[in-house]
Structures are given as C-alpha cells and as structure tokens.
Amino acid sequence: MIRLFHFRNSKCLLEGNAFACLNFQMSSGLKDFKDPPKETIVGFPDQNRLKIVQKQPTYPSGFLTPKMPKRLADHRGPELVHNKLIHEQYGIVALSGGQLKHGHFEMMRNTINRNLDLNKSFAVWRVDPPWKPVTRHGQGKKLGGGKGAIDHYVTPVKRGRIIVEIGGYVPTRMVNRVLIDVAQKLPFPAKAVSKADLDHWEQEDQFVLENNLNTLRWEWCIKNNILNVLNYVGKYDIEFCHLGPDCR
C-alpha cells in the first residue's frame, strides 16, 4: 500500500515500513525544453519537391543542334517498362499517347508543390525532360525552303506511362484532389491512380485472359492469317498483337 502526504514545500512517501521525504524547491523563470524528434519516413528521397525542368536540352559548345522527324511511333502503343509505381502509393497514368511541353511540366510542378505538405510527403518525376525537337516554319512563309527552325521541345509519352508519383504520409483525399486537378489539364487523357487501382486492373486483365471462352483471339488470328487479315492490318498491329486489338 502506497500513501502520499503533502507538506508545504515537501513530499513524503510512505511505503510499508519505509519512510522517505523528498524536498522540492519552488522556482519560476523561463523553461527551455528540447524539440520533439521529427518523424522519419522510410524511402523518403533527398529532394521531396518536384525539380524545375529545363526548357530544352543542353549541348556542348560548338555542337550542331540536331533536328528530328515527327516519329509518331515514339508515343504510339503501350508503355511496357515505366508502367508501375516505384513507391507503391499514388501517381498519374497516361490513358493515351501524347506529348508534354515545358508548360505542362511547370503546371504540374506548381500545382503539386503548392498544394501538398512536402514536409511529410514527396513527389518525383517519372518522365524525362523535353528532349525531342519540334520544328516550325514562320507564319506566312511560302512552301519549300527545307526543314524549319526548332520551335520547342517535347517529351513523348505512351499509353500506360506513369508521369508523376507522390508518396509519404499524406491524406488520400488531398492527393486525389490535387492529382485529378493535374490530370484534367494534361494534353491527353490521364487518370490519378493508386497502387490498389493498378493491381485491380492487372487482375481484371488476367481474369479475362484466363476465362475467355472465345478461342479466336486477336494474336492467334494474325499469326495464322485468318481470312487474309494480314492485308488489312498495319505493322504496329502485328508488333503489339499479343496485347489485344486495342493496343495501338
């Protein structure tokens, strides 16, 4: 049994047959306490903000700036490599192919950096800075004269490519609100997704593949040239035939 007795400026503790008296001196003044330890996040990158993206690539001095053809194949077809979330939390995925200009990078950077608490969260780019040159002739210029001068640079994006990724200790509602706002301003259809959404899409595709009762699959028809189908499809249909008829 423990009893505590209070006497003026002292405290006496009686426990069993032992008796102890503790003296406390009353004092007043400024108390300086240590700051509580900050919360650490595993896998938190060194740079938690989206970095500024260069408007055009830098070349060595004396190096002739190269020009390129349109090369629409750069954003045609599905993305087979960068289609997963590295940090397994939230991101924006492209639902169709397209090209990103420097203004789109600035829009995403300003929107995400201003609306998220980057002390507890982070954002990383999943696409390269603009590297593909786009040429254009001057307004009112006649035909001919060779290839025009470089007007701006773009980044080609394929369907299924992860554009930007967000992670850390951040509320789901706030992330969805910010990512949906960014996805609606992109020049091609895009959607805010999470790791659970990508897993659900993959499970649906696997279920359809395993339980499809139709034996005439797109890949089988092209490889066996059913009804002379090779005369009506293009080379990209043949290249991505194992992904289904909507692969382009």
Side-chain angles (χ1 to χ4, degrees):
M1 182 177 180
I2 300 176
R3 294 179 182 178
L4 188 65
F5 300 94
H6 296 272
F7 296 98
R8 294 183 182 181
N9 295 335
S10 64
K11 292 183 180 179
C12 297
L13 181 64
L14 179 62
E15 181 178 2
N17 297 327
F19 181 81
C21 183
L22 303 177
N23 293 324
F24 294 95
Q25 295 181 357
M26 303 296 292
S27 61
S28 61
L30 179 63
K31 302 296 189 299
D32 188 10
F33 300 100
K34 295 182 179 180
D35 295 334
K38 292 185 178 181
E39 189 177 16
T40 58
I41 301 175
V42 178
F44 205 100
D46 297 334
Q47 180 70 24
N48 56 351
R49 287 177 172 269
L50 289 178
K51 298 181 181 179
I52 298 177
V53 175
Q54 294 184 356
K55 200 171 185 177
Q56 60 185 20
T58 57
Y59 296 101
S61 59
F63 185 80
L64 183 63
T65 303
K67 299 178 182 180
M68 295 183 183
K70 288 185 177 180
R71 275 179 26 182
L72 300 180
D74 290 340
H75 53 82
R76 179 188 286 117
E79 176 63 42
L80 304 178
V81 180
H82 303 283
N83 53 7
K84 301 291 183 183
L85 294 173
I86 296 177
H87 300 281
E88 300 183 352
Q89 288 189 292
Y90 308 99
I92 297 179
V93 61
L95 301 180
S96 178
Q99 295 178 342
L100 291 174
K101 297 182 180 179
H102 180 261
H104 299 129
F105 283 94
E106 287 297 301
M107 178 271 298
M108 290 187 286
R109 184 181 66 85
N110 292 330
T111 304
I112 293 176
N113 289 347
R114 291 174 181 175
N115 291 279
L116 287 182
D117 183 12
L118 296 177
N119 293 325
K120 293 186 178 180
S121 61
F122 59 89
V124 292
W125 293 115
R126 291 295 305 277
V127 290
D128 300 325
W131 59 269
K132 184 178 179 181
V134 177
T135 59
R136 182 174 297 176
H137 283 285
Q139 187 176 3
K141 188 176 180 180
K142 294 182 180 180
L143 298 178
K147 193 169 182 63
I150 296 177
D151 183 67
H152 59 276
Y153 289 83
V154 297
T155 298
V157 175
K158 293 186 177 182
R159 178 177 62 87
R161 176 70 181 262
I162 303 297
I163 301 172
V164 67
E165 193 169 346
I166 293 178
Y169 298 118
V170 58
T172 305
R173 290 184 178 180
M174 181 175 293
V175 170
N176 290 336
R177 178 177 60 83
V178 174
L179 293 184
I180 290 174
D181 184 22
V182 172
Q184 291 176 349
K185 298 178 182 178
L186 293 177
F188 45 80
K191 186 177 182 180
V193 296
S194 63
K195 180 65 167 55
D197 296 334
L198 297 181
D199 293 341
H200 181 65
W201 293 353
E202 186 176 357
Q203 291 175 2
E204 283 186 346
D205 295 340
Q206 188 67 23
F207 177 80
V208 171
L209 182 63
E210 293 177 354
N211 298 274
N212 188 11
L213 300 179
N214 186 7
T215 57
L216 297 176
R217 297 182 179 178
W218 179 253
E219 180 182 6
W220 184 83
C221 292
I222 289 183
K223 288 184 176 181
N224 294 277
N225 195 19
I226 301 299
L227 297 178
N228 202 18
V229 70
L230 292 179
N231 292 337
Y232 303 98
V233 298
K235 62 178 182 179
Y236 296 105
D237 295 308
I238 301 174
E239 181 180 356
F240 302 113
C241 65
H242 62 284
L243 301 174
D246 299 330
C247 59
R248 296 177 301 173

